[in-house]
């Protein structure tokens, strides 16, 4: 039986209502099991925004750069969205969502939609529903979506699956050649941005990054220099990001990346179904067991049984 | 997995440069398990309403120490009503006793003076945010 709350919301959503869009994002975030019905009702979704990922360490200037980019992009595109992620507290589950404070000058802009999310314990740089959020923004027909990750370390690289292209924001005190050679976050960059480029060490970092930029067998990775606080270098960055996207779109690369994103999204949906099916199983498994006699594999048979019934 | 969390917008309205109290409250509510957004200084009622809608928050907390509460909060409440938005609003700051009735009549849920305990505000927010005040729910 269709949920009348959702049916009404989606009717309003389809008229271009921002409150309905905002409420649906909340529902997806809090009740992801509703996604089947939401996206069932929204079919067909025949629009793809340009999705640009902005990632980097805490305090590197991601939000401030996005604020500057919005000044330019809100004039060039008819609908721009920002999805900004910040970490949830492991202790309390609460979060301080501080990205949007840097973007306040766009609060009254008619064509800019900004939404903050806590990662709610999901590793990887965003929350687990990010694929569904993006799909909803596609259905709303945004032209451009900027996705800001939480402040990341070396291994939070999910942005590479989520966005069409990713900018990795670095600051002059990033580290020496050994850091540059490490796998992880630097590998996902389509462009390196040296922000706070007025600080000492910016030139040296740029030289070091050349190792990655030039030796990359597949593509050349440009290096941009910015000062997000005063906007220096941002116009060039805004242009470069779109140029990189255009280049990808001319080949199969963009389509391949988007296919990889759909695949990740589908994997996520499958995991969600399985998790719902077997939630509570691990709790059942340890019921009545004492530490000494406990072997987690004692329960393998039950897990297999449930997994098989998941096919029904 | 995902569960519902109370999402709160803490906002500074008008020309008022003091936000230590607002930041302290943000931190307290974060530690109480809420998701908290802070607007930063010198916001207009229009901006605050738009952010509250985009973020789909459960409550708006206004911090104001400037003395312009009668004008600014009245305009915020009017804007909420004219846009058909039912989000509970609480106010903290320097509000003289004689203005309290005026603001309550405008629809403000509660007004907090200096010296209020953070625990009290936290408890009230849990109560107000849980109230089914929105029609589309």
């Amino acid at each position: 039986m269709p949920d009348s709350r959702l049916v009404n919301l989606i009717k309003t959503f389809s008229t271009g209502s921002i409150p309905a869009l905002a409420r649906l994002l909340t529902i997806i975030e809090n009740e992801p099991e509703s996604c089947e019905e939401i996206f069932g009702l929204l079919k067909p979704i025949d629009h793809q925004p340009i999705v640009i990922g902005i990632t980097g360490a805490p305090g590197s200037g991601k939000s401030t750069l996005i604020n500057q980019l919005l000044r330019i992009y809100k004039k060039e595109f008819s609908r721009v969205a920002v999805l900004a992620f910040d970490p949830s507290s492991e202790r309390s589950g609460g979060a301080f969502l501080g990205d949007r404070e840097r973007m306040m000058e766009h609060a009254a802009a008619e064509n800019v939609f900004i939404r903050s999310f806590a990662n709610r314990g999901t590793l990887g740089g965003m929350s687990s529903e990010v694929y569904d959020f993006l799909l909803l923004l596609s259905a709303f027909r945004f032209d451009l979506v900027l996705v800001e990750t939480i402040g990341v370390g070396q291994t939070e690289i999910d942005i590479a699956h989520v966005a069409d292209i990713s900018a990795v924001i670095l600051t002059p005190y990033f580290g020496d050649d050994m850091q540059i050679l490490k796998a992880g976050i630097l590998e996902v960059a389509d462009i390196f941005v040296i922000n706070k480029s007025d600080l000492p060490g910016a030139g040296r970092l740029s030289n070091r990054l050349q190792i990655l930029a030039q030796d990359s067998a597949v593509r050349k990775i440009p290096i941009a220099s910015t000062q997000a606080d005063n906007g220096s270098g941002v116009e060039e960055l805004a242009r470069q990001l779109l140029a990189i996207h255009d280049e990808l779109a001319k080949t199969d690369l963009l389509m391949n990346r988007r296919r990889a994103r759909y695949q990740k999204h589908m994997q996520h949906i499958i995991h969600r179904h399985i998790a719902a099916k077997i939630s509570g199983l691990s709790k059942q498994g340890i019921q009545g067991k004492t530490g000494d006699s406990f072997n987690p594999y004692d329960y393998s048979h039950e897990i297999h049984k449930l997994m098989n019934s998941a096919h029904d | 997995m995902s569960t519902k969390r109370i999402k709160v917008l803490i906002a500074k309205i008008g020309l008022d440069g003091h936000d230590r109290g607002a930041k302290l409250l943000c931190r307290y509510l974060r530690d109480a398990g809420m998701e908290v957004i802070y607007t930063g200084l010198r916001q207009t009622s229009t901006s605050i309403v738009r952010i509250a809608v985009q973020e789909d928050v459960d409550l708006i907390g206004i911090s104001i120490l400037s003395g312009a509460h009668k004008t600014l909060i009245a305009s915020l409440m009017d804007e909420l009503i004219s846009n058909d938005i039912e989000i509970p609003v609480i106010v903290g700051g320097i509000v003289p006793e004689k203005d309290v009735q005026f603001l309550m009549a405008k629809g403000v849920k509660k007004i907090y003076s200096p010296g209020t305990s953070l625990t009290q505000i936290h408890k009230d927010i849990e109560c107000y945010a849980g109230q089914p005040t929105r029609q589309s729910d």
Side-chain angles (χ1 to χ4, degrees):
Chain A
M1 196 183 70
D3 181 337
S4 65
R5 172 191 65 154
L6 287 181
V7 173
N8 288 335
L9 256 179
I10 284 174
K11 229 179 259 169
T12 324
F13 174 92
S14 307
T15 66
S17 153
I18 294 286
L21 165 65
R23 178 57 49 87
L24 280 167
L25 287 169
T26 307
I27 293 173
I28 291 172
E29 187 181 32
N30 292 332
E31 311 155 37
E33 62 281 1
S34 314
C35 284
E36 307 284 329
E37 193 168 354
I38 292 171
F39 292 110
L41 290 163
L42 276 172
K43 275 186 303 201
I45 298 171
D46 55 359
H47 173 78
Q48 280 291 334
I50 295 172
V51 183
I52 299 177
I54 307 287
T55 191
S60 55
K62 298 180 291 298
S63 308
T64 312
L65 264 177
I66 289 178
N67 179 54
Q68 294 281 358
L69 288 171
L70 283 175
R71 287 188 187 176
I72 298 161
Y73 289 149
K74 76 178 175 187
K75 290 183 207 146
E76 291 181 15
F77 294 93
S78 55
R79 278 180 183 171
V80 183
V82 178
L83 300 179
F85 293 88
D86 267 321
S88 296
S89 161
E90 185 82 8
R91 294 180 184 175
S92 72
F96 179 69
L97 308 175
D99 294 331
R100 132 160 251 154
E101 192 266 338
R102 316 286 191 199
M103 309 171 196
M104 287 307 299
E105 65 179 80
H106 307 292
E110 288 290 339
N111 64 337
V112 178
F113 177 85
I114 302 172
R115 178 66 179 248
S116 319
F117 295 100
N119 74 335
R120 297 195 177 177
T122 300
L123 302 176
M126 289 150 291
S127 69
S128 53
E129 274 66 46
V130 60
Y131 298 102
D132 295 305
F133 298 153
L134 266 183
L135 194 58
L136 191 70
L137 295 182
S138 303
F140 201 82
R141 305 190 84 78
F142 279 96
D143 304 297
L144 174 71
V145 181
L146 301 170
V147 181
E148 176 180 348
T149 67
I150 63 167
V152 302
Q154 290 175 320
T155 61
E156 293 105 325
I157 56 166
D158 282 5
I159 191 67
H161 308 304
V162 169
D164 294 339
I165 62 166
S166 301
V168 174
I169 318 300
L170 302 166
T171 51
Y173 293 108
F174 176 70
D176 66 3
D177 294 7
M178 298 302 107
Q179 296 302 330
I180 303 282
L181 290 173
K182 288 180 184 176
I185 186 78
L186 296 180
E187 288 177 291
V188 308
D190 292 292
I191 181 168
F192 296 113
V193 181
I194 303 177
N195 190 37
K196 310 191 187 185
S197 63
D198 52 324
L199 295 182
R204 219 164 18 184
L205 175 59
S206 178
N207 283 338
R208 285 176 174 146
L209 284 169
Q210 301 285 343
I211 298 177
L212 297 181
Q214 285 181 353
D215 291 1
S216 164
V218 215
R219 63 219 158 96
K220 195 171 175 336
I221 305 164
I223 302 169
S225 283
T226 56
Q227 294 172 44
D229 54 353
N230 66 15
S232 161
V234 173
E235 227 167 278
E236 172 70 5
L237 174 64
R239 196 191 54 73
Q240 269 177 304
L241 287 169
L242 296 180
I244 293 168
H245 197 275
D246 279 353
E247 277 305 307
L248 286 184
K250 281 183 199 153
T251 66
D252 292 339
L253 279 170
L254 182 63
M255 187 45 72
N256 289 345
R257 286 187 184 191
R258 285 180 172 169
R259 285 169 70 98
R261 183 205 303 165
Y262 302 142
Q263 201 183 341
K264 282 277 173 194
H265 193 171
M266 284 179 65
Q267 279 173 10
H268 178 68
I269 294 166
I270 293 165
H271 288 166
R272 194 154 65 201
H273 279 287
I274 293 174
K277 194 102 186 166
I278 65 174
S279 75
L281 192 62
S282 59
K283 235 183 202 162
Q284 281 174 42
I286 58 165
Q287 237 162 35
K289 305 261 181 179
T290 60
D292 290 343
S293 68
F294 183 57
N295 176 350
Y297 287 98
D298 288 348
Y299 221 66
S300 296
H301 178 66
E302 295 299 312
I303 296 171
H304 283 296
K305 222 166 66 186
L306 256 156
M307 293 300 290
N308 286 334
S309 74
H311 293 302
D312 301 341
Chain B
M1 279 298 286
S2 287
T3 41
K4 167 78 184 144
R5 297 223 160 251
I6 293 174
K7 196 170 179 184
V8 176
L9 178 66
I10 302 295
K12 291 291 300 182
I13 194 167
L15 290 174
D16 174 359
H18 301 279
D19 66 349
R20 236 188 136 87
K23 285 173 179 161
L24 195 69
L25 181 63
C26 285
R27 203 225 122 176
Y28 187 90
L29 297 177
R30 184 202 78 182
D31 291 346
M34 296 183 189
E35 291 177 348
V36 188
I37 300 164
Y38 175 51
T39 61
L41 298 167
R42 294 186 288 277
Q43 302 308 318
T44 64
S45 54
T46 307
S47 294
I48 293 169
V49 169
R50 292 179 74 107
I51 293 165
V53 168
Q54 291 186 3
E55 297 286 355
D56 195 19
V57 293
D58 300 301
L59 178 135
I60 301 172
I62 302 288
S63 159
I64 184 160
L65 306 165
S66 68
H69 44 269
K70 275 182 91 172
T71 321
L72 294 173
I73 290 168
S75 107
L76 175 80
M77 300 312 289
D78 290 345
E79 205 149 342
L80 284 171
I81 290 165
S82 66
N83 284 290
D84 242 345
I85 300 161
E86 299 187 29
I87 301 174
V89 176
I90 58 172
V91 173
I94 315 284
V95 178
E97 198 56 44
K98 65 180 170 59
D99 297 339
V100 167
Q101 268 318 308
F102 171 82
L103 293 180
M104 300 292 271
K106 278 283 175 191
V108 172
K109 289 270 179 196
K110 201 161 172 180
I111 295 161
Y112 300 94
S113 303
T116 312
S117 80
L118 291 163
T119 327
Q120 182 62 49
I121 301 175
H122 167 213
K123 272 191 192 144
D124 289 347
I125 291 178
E126 273 185 339
C127 163
Y128 297 138
Q131 284 175 0
T133 53
R134 296 158 174 164
Q135 286 161 338
S136 51
D137 267 334

